[in-house]
C-alpha cells in the first residue's frame, strides 16, 4: 500500500509537467507570413478579407464569423428582428476596451455612422437600408431600417466597433498607431511597420475566449518565393496563400504540413459598362474606337466563349479551384443551379464578334492583380493568350494589388477597361451579399453597390434584388436571389472564371484551420499533441 501514494505522486508530477509544457506551447509567439499587406488599417475604409483578418484579432465586432462562415456572438450576445424594419442587438455588459472603458451602444453607433459617412468607404453598401441607429437602453442597440434587411447581423460582423472618442475624430492615417487601435478583441495592436510587419500582444482584459498566443506577428511577404523561404528557414511559423506547385513540394517534407480547402471566393473579369468610350480598348492600329464594345452583349458573350476555364483550373491552378458560371458556389443559399455554364467555343466567339461589328477584333489591355489571388499574374497571361486566339490584339498589364484596387474602388475615370476582380459571400452565407454589393446598380450618393466596379445597371435586376433584400422569409428570399443572379448572368455583366482554393503551410507541430472567407486567424492555429 505504501507504494501507491508514491506512484500517484509520480503520475501527478508527469501530468502537471505535460500540462505545463502544453501551456508553454500555447503561451508563446506565433509568426505568420502573409501574402498581402493591407492598403489601409482604417477599419471603416477598405472592406476586404485582408483588412478584416487582421482587425478581427485586435478590434471588437458585434458578431464574428467562424471557419465555416457561420456567425459567432461576440460583443453582441444575441439579436432579433422586431417586425420588418427593426433589429435589436443586446450587447455584452462585460465587453470592454483595452483601456478599461466599457463598450457601449454609443460606441457602436459612432462606429457604424463613421463607416457610413467616411468618404470613399467601401462599407457603405452594408448600411444601404439603414434609416437610423438608436440606443434602446439596457445595452440594446436598435437599428431602424427603411426596408426589411434580413442580412443585418452579417453586416455587423464586418464592421469594427471602436471608442466613440476615436470614431468622432480619427483620420485614416491615425490607425497605423497603437493609440487609435483601442482593442476589444483577443489581442492588442502593438506595432505596425509599413512594408514589413504588424505585431500583436495578447489582451489580458478581453471578455471573450482568451488569446492562444502571447505574441502574434504578421509579416508581409508578398513574394511567394520569399514566403516559402521564410517558412523553410524557420523565420516564420506558417504562411498563407501557398501556390499549388509550392503546396505540392512542401507536402513532401515531413517537417512541414500543408492544409488545403475550398473557399467561397469567385474570381472574375469585370467589363467597363458605364463609359461610352473606354480608354483601354482601341482599334487594331491604336486609334480610338468611337464606341465601347463592352456595351454590346454579343462582345461580352464572345469573351465568355473564348475563355477555357477548365484549362485555367487544371494548368494554371493545378486543380486548386473550380470553374464557375456565377458569383458564388453551390454551398451558398440562393445559388442558382439553373444558370448554364458557357462552354469553351472559339468558333462561336469569333462569330459573335463578327456579328457585333468586329470581325478582325480590336486592341485591348487585360489588367490583373499581382500577389492577391492564387497565380493571378499567370491567370492574366492565360486570358490574354486565349483572347488573342479570337483575333484580339492583347496587352497584359499586371499591377500590384493595392495599386489596381485604389483605381477601381473609387470609380474614377482612370480605371481600366477590362480587369480582374474578386468577391466572396462567405461572411453572409448567401448569394444576396454579392447581389447587394456587386450586381445592384452602383450609386455613390446612396452608398449602393460600391463593389459593382464595372457599373453594370439593369432596372429589372435591381427590382428583384431590392425585393429579395426586403424579404425576411428565407426560402422566398433565396428564390428571388437565384432569379436576380440568372438575369444578371444572362446579361454577361461579368466574366466568371473560377472559385479559388486556399492553402496554408506550417512547421511541424502546428495545424492551421482554413476559413471559407480566407481569413488567417492565429487562434485557429492549434498545437499538435
Amino acid at each position: 500500500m505504501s507504494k501507491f501514494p508514491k506512484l500517484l505522486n509520480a503520475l501527478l508530477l508527469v501530468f502537471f509537467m505535460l500540462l505545463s509544457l502544453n501551456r508553454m506551447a500555447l503561451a508563446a509567439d506565433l509568426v505568420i507570413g502573409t501574402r498581402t499587406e493591407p492598403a489601409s488599417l482604417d477599419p471603416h475604409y477598405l472592406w476586404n478579407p485582408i483588412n478584416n483578418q487582421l482587425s478581427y484579432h485586435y478590434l471588437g465586432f458585434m458578431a464574428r464569423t467562424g471557419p465555416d462562415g457561420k456567425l459567432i456572438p461576440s460583443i453582441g450576445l444575441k439579436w432579433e428582428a422586431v417586425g420588418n424594419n427593426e433589429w435589436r442587438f443586446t450587447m455584452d455588459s462585460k465587453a470592454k476596451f483595452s483601456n478599461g472603458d466599457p463598450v457601449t451602444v454609443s460606441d457602436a453607433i459612432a462606429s457604424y455612422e463613421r463607416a457610413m459617412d467616411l468618404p470613399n468607404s467601401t462599407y457603405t453598401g452594408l448600411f444601404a437600408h439603414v434609416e437610423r441607429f438608436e440606443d434602446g437602453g439596457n445595452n440594446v442597440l436598435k437599428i431602424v431600417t427603411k426596408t426589411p434587411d434580413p442580412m443585418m447581423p452579417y453586416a455587423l460582423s464586418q464592421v469594427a466597433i471602436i471608442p466613440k472618442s476615436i470614431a468622432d475624430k480619427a483620420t485614416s492615417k491615425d490607425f497605423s498607431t497603437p493609440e487609435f487601435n483601442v482593442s476589444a478583441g483577443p489581442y492588442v495592436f502593438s506595432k505596425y511597420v509599413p512594408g514589413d510587419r504588424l505585431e500583436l500582444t495578447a489582451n489580458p482584459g478581453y471578455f471573450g475566449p482568451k488569446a492562444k498566443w502571447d505574441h502574434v506577428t504578421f509579416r508581409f511577404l508578398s513574394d511567394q518565393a520569399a514566403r516559402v523561404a521564410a517558412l523553410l528557414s524557420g523565420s516564420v511559423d506558417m504562411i498563407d496563400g501557398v501556390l499549388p506547385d509550392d503546396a505540392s513540394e512542401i507536402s513532401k517534407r515531413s517537417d512541414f504540413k500543408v492544409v488545403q480547402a475550398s473557399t467561397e471566393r469567385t474570381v472574375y473579369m469585370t467589363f467597363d459598362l458605364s463609359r461610352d468610350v473606354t480608354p483601354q480598348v482601341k482599334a487594331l492600329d491604336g486609334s480610338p474606337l468611337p464606341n465601347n464594345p463592352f456595351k454590346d452583349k454579343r462582345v461580352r458573350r464572345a469573351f465568355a466563349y473564348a475563355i477555357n476555364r477548365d484549362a485555367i483550373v487544371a494548368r494554371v491552378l493545378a486543380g486548386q479551384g473550380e470553374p464557375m458560371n456565377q458569383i458564388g458556389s453551390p454551398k451558398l443559399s440562393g445559388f442558382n443551379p439553373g444558370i448554364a455554364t458557357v462552354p469553351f467555343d472559339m468558333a462561336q466567339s469569333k462569330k459573335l464578334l463578327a456579328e457585333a461589328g468586329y470581325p478582325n477584333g480590336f486592341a485591348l489591355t487585360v489588367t490583373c492583380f499581382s500577389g492577391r489571388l492564387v497565380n493571378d499574374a499567370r491567370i492574366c497571361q492565360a486570358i490574354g493568350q486565349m483572347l488573342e486566339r479570337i483575333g484580339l490584339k492583347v496587352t497584359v498589364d499586371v499591377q500590384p494589388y493595392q495599386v489596381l484596387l485604389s483605381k477601381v474602388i473609387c470609380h474614377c475615370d482612370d480605371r481600366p477597361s477590362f480587369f480582374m476582380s474578386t468577391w466572396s459571400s462567405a461572411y453572409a452565407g448567401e448569394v444576396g451579399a454579392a447581389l447587394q454589393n456587386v450586381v445592384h446598380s452602383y450609386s455613390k450618393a446612396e452608398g449602393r453597390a460600391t463593389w459593382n466596379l464595372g457599373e453594370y445597371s439593369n432596372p429589372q435586376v435591381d427590382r428583384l434584388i431590392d425585393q429579395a433584400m426586403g424579404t425576411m422569409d428565407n426560402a422566398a428570399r433565396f428564390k428571388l436571389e437565384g432569379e436576380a443572379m440568372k438575369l444578371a448572368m444572362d446579361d454577361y455583366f461579368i466574366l466568371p472564371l473560377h472559385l479559388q482554393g486556399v492553402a496554408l503551410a506550417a512547421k511541424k507541430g502546428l495545424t492551421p484551420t482554413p476559413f471559407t472567407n480566407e481569413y488567417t486567424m492565429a487562434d485557429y492555429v492549434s498545437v499538435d499533441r
Side-chain angles (χ1 to χ4, degrees):
M1 294 293 294
S2 61
K3 293 182 179 180
F4 181 77
K6 293 182 179 180
L7 178 60
L8 180 60
N9 288 336
L11 289 172
L12 288 172
L13 179 61
V14 170
F15 170 80
F16 285 114
M17 287 177 64
L18 290 173
L19 182 61
S20 176
L21 287 171
N22 185 52
R23 285 177 175 168
M24 289 173 62
L26 293 178
D29 296 352
L30 180 69
V31 182
I32 300 172
T34 190
R35 67 188 181 280
T36 311
E37 180 176 6
S40 170
L41 287 177
D42 186 327
H44 302 140
Y45 172 64
L46 188 57
W47 177 36
N48 64 22
I50 296 164
N51 289 42
N52 273 27
Q53 78 169 16
L54 297 177
S55 60
Y56 251 44
H57 286 80
Y58 60 86
L59 294 179
F61 292 81
M62 191 69 73
R64 295 171 178 267
T65 52
D68 58 0
K70 294 181 180 179
L71 290 183
I72 301 171
S74 187
I75 292 174
L77 290 175
K78 62 180 181 179
W79 44 85
E80 62 177 344
V82 180
N84 288 326
N85 294 80
E86 184 178 311
W87 280 94
R88 294 182 185 178
F89 292 80
T90 301
M91 298 172 55
D92 191 341
S93 60
K94 298 177 183 177
K96 62 180 180 179
F97 292 110
S98 53
N99 61 8
D101 292 341
V103 181
T104 67
V105 173
S106 295
D107 297 315
I109 292 175
S111 298
Y112 299 148
E113 289 181 341
R114 182 176 188 273
M116 290 175 63
D117 299 336
L118 191 69
N120 297 319
S121 168
T122 54
Y123 285 89
T124 54
L126 291 172
F127 298 110
H129 300 287
V130 172
E131 176 70 34
R132 63 184 183 275
F133 301 100
E134 294 181 2
D135 187 336
N138 297 318
N139 290 322
V140 172
L141 168 68
K142 290 173 58 177
I143 303 179
V144 179
T145 59
K146 305 167 191 172
T147 59
D149 189 344
M151 297 178 65
M152 185 59 69
Y154 294 98
L156 299 197
S157 75
Q158 301 298 294
V159 187
I161 297 175
I162 61 177
K164 184 179 186 299
S165 59
I166 291 176
D168 287 345
K169 68 178 182 180
T171 67
S172 290
K173 292 182 180 180
D174 291 330
F175 290 96
S176 61
T177 65
E179 177 188 358
F180 284 83
N181 286 289
V182 179
S183 176
Y187 293 89
V188 174
F189 184 111
S190 296
K191 185 176 183 181
Y192 171 60
V193 181
D196 183 36
R197 67 190 186 277
L198 172 67
E199 297 179 8
L200 310 173
T201 304
N203 179 3
Y206 182 50
F207 59 94
K210 299 304 179 185
K212 183 177 287 188
W213 308 93
D214 285 341
H215 305 281
V216 174
T217 300
F218 282 90
R219 286 187 55 194
F220 308 127
L221 300 169
S222 60
D223 182 76
Q224 170 72 8
R227 211 157 55 247
V228 173
L231 175 68
L232 299 181
S233 69
S235 62
V236 301
D237 300 310
M238 62 168 286
I239 58 175
D240 62 18
V242 183
L243 300 184
D245 291 344
D246 290 319
S248 177
E249 290 302 313
I250 295 172
S251 295
K252 297 175 183 177
R253 301 185 54 153
S254 60
D255 48 346
F256 294 96
K257 177 183 294 183
V258 175
V259 180
Q260 301 189 63
S262 61
T263 74
E264 293 295 345
R265 177 161 303 284
T266 306
V267 180
Y268 56 94
M269 301 298 293
T270 291
F271 301 105
D272 173 15
L273 299 177
S274 64
R275 291 174 286 189
D276 292 331
V277 176
T278 190
Q280 295 181 339
V281 179
K282 301 180 182 298
L284 291 173
D285 63 3
S287 61
L289 285 176
N291 300 304
N292 177 354
F294 295 140
K295 285 182 173 285
D296 190 323
K297 187 167 80 169
R298 291 170 296 185
V299 173
R300 303 196 297 272
R301 284 183 64 201
F303 274 46
Y305 279 111
I307 303 303
N308 189 336
R309 295 163 186 76
D310 291 328
I312 290 175
V313 170
R315 300 170 191 171
V316 181
L317 301 177
Q320 193 173 309
E322 177 184 346
M324 191 45 57
N325 62 353
Q326 58 191 287
I327 302 180
S329 82
K331 296 179 182 178
L332 294 176
S333 298
F335 177 85
N336 190 334
I339 297 176
T341 299
V342 180
F344 172 54
D345 189 335
M346 288 179 57
Q348 180 68 7
S349 179
K350 292 178 180 178
K351 179 183 177 183
L352 286 164
L353 277 182
E355 290 177 1
Y358 304 98
N360 299 315
F362 46 79
L364 168 72
T365 297
V366 179
T367 308
C368 296
F369 302 133
S370 174
R372 169 64 181 96
L373 303 170
V374 176
N375 282 350
D376 39 20
R378 289 176 58 190
I379 293 170
C380 203
Q381 294 290 343
I383 290 172
Q385 292 169 6
M386 292 172 185
L387 293 177
E388 283 183 338
R389 291 172 189 157
I390 61 170
L392 302 188
K393 183 178 180 181
V394 176
T395 300
V396 173
D397 180 20
V398 176
Q399 301 183 17
Y401 172 65
Q402 289 92 340
V403 173
L404 179 55
L405 186 66
S406 65
K407 292 178 182 178
V408 298
I409 64 170
C410 74
H411 294 262
C412 302
D413 287 338
D414 65 345
R415 66 190 187 279
S417 300
F418 180 65
F419 55 94
M420 180 176 277
S421 303
T422 182
W423 176 264
S424 172
S425 295
Y427 79 94
E430 63 181 89
V431 169
L435 294 172
Q436 271 190 310
N437 294 284
V438 181
V439 185
H440 193 283
S441 295
Y442 166 70
S443 171
K444 182 176 181 179
E446 297 177 6
R448 295 294 299 268
T450 53
W451 289 97
N452 180 350
L453 304 177
E455 299 188 6
Y456 166 72
S457 182
N458 181 326
Q460 186 179 2
V461 172
D462 288 349
R463 283 193 292 271
L464 275 173
I465 294 173
D466 291 340
Q467 186 179 353
M469 293 302 98
T471 300
M472 301 299 286
D473 179 79
N474 287 343
R477 182 172 72 257
F478 300 153
K479 183 176 183 294
L480 290 166
E481 288 176 358
E483 292 174 5
M485 184 63 75
K486 186 176 189 308
L487 275 181
M489 294 315 308
D490 285 348
D491 271 347
Y492 295 85
F493 87 106
I494 58 164
L495 177 58
L497 297 174
H498 58 271
L499 285 176
Q500 177 171 273
V502 62
L504 307 172
K507 67 181 183 181
K508 185 178 181 180
L510 297 179
T511 299
T513 299
F515 276 54
T516 58
N517 59 14
E518 300 170 286
Y519 288 7
T520 303
M521 299 298 297
D523 282 355
Y524 285 83
V525 179
S526 61
V527 178
D528 299 339
R529 299 181 181 180

